[in-house]
Amino acid sequence: MNTRKLVYLFVSTLLIGASSGAIIGILLDTETYFSGGFFNFFFGLLWMFGMSAAISLVAQMGYFAYLTLQRFALGVFKSVRLWNRIQVVLILFVLFDLIYLRYIAFATDEETLWGYVLMPVLLFLYCMAVAFQKQKETNKETFVPALFFMFVVTTIEWVPALTVDIVNDTKWLWIYLTPLLTANTWQLLTLHRLTRASQQNKG
């Protein structure tokens, strides 16, 4: 990996995360953006793009933090299988917490636990699909680490939105989550392609 490819990964991830967040933000609140004329739309779009760009930067920091954790864990446990089993346990723990702790924190008397199941399950299924794609493009040993990164690390990055009352609104939860998901998906599925291209060029 040379500097040019690292810069490409950084800039492309930033733009993809920011653009996806801006698009979702507008689609989920069209009345606010389209009811006040061109300048209202333009500055609203600019604000949403900037906020989503900041969120995508968090995703980039999370990705490189996970790459460091992966190296450290493999050095400590000396076994890919053991580390993968630990990651599976953590994935299940986070899935449970993402449903139950949000229910405990935000549910009203009229709401049931089932109302807090849909979003975590959809997120988990999406992360599974990305992990399968990663496995398809690399090897079977990458499935669990990919799923761990997509689900656990994305959830950790999502925590600020999950713990603030004002954003316990489905619209804002998706606005915060979308840049994280798109940025993390792009990073996960792009890095090995860039690395592979570098190795081929050396060969």
Side-chain angles (χ1 to χ4, degrees):
M1 281 285 287
N2 55 38
T3 303
R4 181 175 61 84
K5 289 182 178 179
L6 286 174
V7 171
Y8 166 76
L9 182 62
F10 171 78
V11 174
S12 61
T13 302
L14 184 68
L15 292 176
I16 288 171
S19 299
S20 65
I23 291 169
I24 290 297
I26 291 172
L27 291 178
L28 292 178
D29 196 8
T30 54
E31 184 177 349
T32 299
Y33 290 96
F34 289 100
S35 62
F38 172 77
F39 286 104
N40 178 72
F41 173 79
F42 177 76
F43 287 111
L45 175 63
L46 193 63
W47 177 79
M48 188 63 68
F49 186 88
M51 185 184 73
S52 300
I55 295 172
S56 72
L57 287 176
V58 173
Q60 295 195 57
M61 289 187 289
Y63 185 50
F64 286 100
Y66 174 69
L67 292 177
T68 302
L69 171 65
Q70 180 78 354
R71 293 253 180 193
F72 177 77
L74 290 175
V76 170
F77 297 113
K78 307 294 184 182
S79 170
V80 174
R81 286 187 178 182
L82 176 58
W83 172 229
N84 280 351
R85 288 171 183 169
I86 293 172
Q87 289 182 99
V88 169
V89 172
L90 292 173
I91 289 167
L92 296 175
F93 179 77
V94 169
L95 178 60
F96 171 79
D97 280 354
L98 193 55
I99 296 170
Y100 187 69
L101 292 185
R102 281 192 62 238
Y103 171 73
I104 294 298
F106 298 113
T108 62
D109 293 336
E110 295 78 21
E111 292 180 310
T112 66
L113 180 63
W114 291 110
Y116 288 80
V117 170
L118 180 61
M119 182 174 282
V121 169
L122 288 176
L123 173 60
F124 183 75
L125 292 175
Y126 174 83
C127 294
M128 286 274 289
V130 175
F132 274 119
Q133 183 62 30
K134 177 74 172 183
Q135 175 184 274
K136 181 180 177 181
E137 295 186 15
T138 54
N139 58 73
K140 64 180 182 180
E141 293 181 353
T142 62
F143 176 79
V144 172
L147 180 59
F148 181 89
F149 168 70
M150 285 301 302
F151 187 70
V152 175
V153 176
T154 298
T155 300
I156 292 172
E157 295 165 347
W158 198 25
V159 162
L162 294 172
T163 54
V164 178
D165 288 328
I166 195 172
V167 295
N168 190 45
D169 177 332
T170 302
K171 178 186 75 175
W172 281 104
L173 288 174
W174 281 116
I175 289 172
Y176 275 79
L177 179 60
T178 300
L180 293 175
L181 272 184
T182 53
N184 283 340
T185 301
W186 176 255
Q187 292 178 107
L188 187 69
L189 297 180
T190 300
L191 183 60
H192 67 269
R193 297 169 185 169
L194 294 176
T195 304
R196 185 180 300 159
S198 297
Q199 292 172 346
Q200 290 174 348
N201 291 334
K202 288 180 181 179

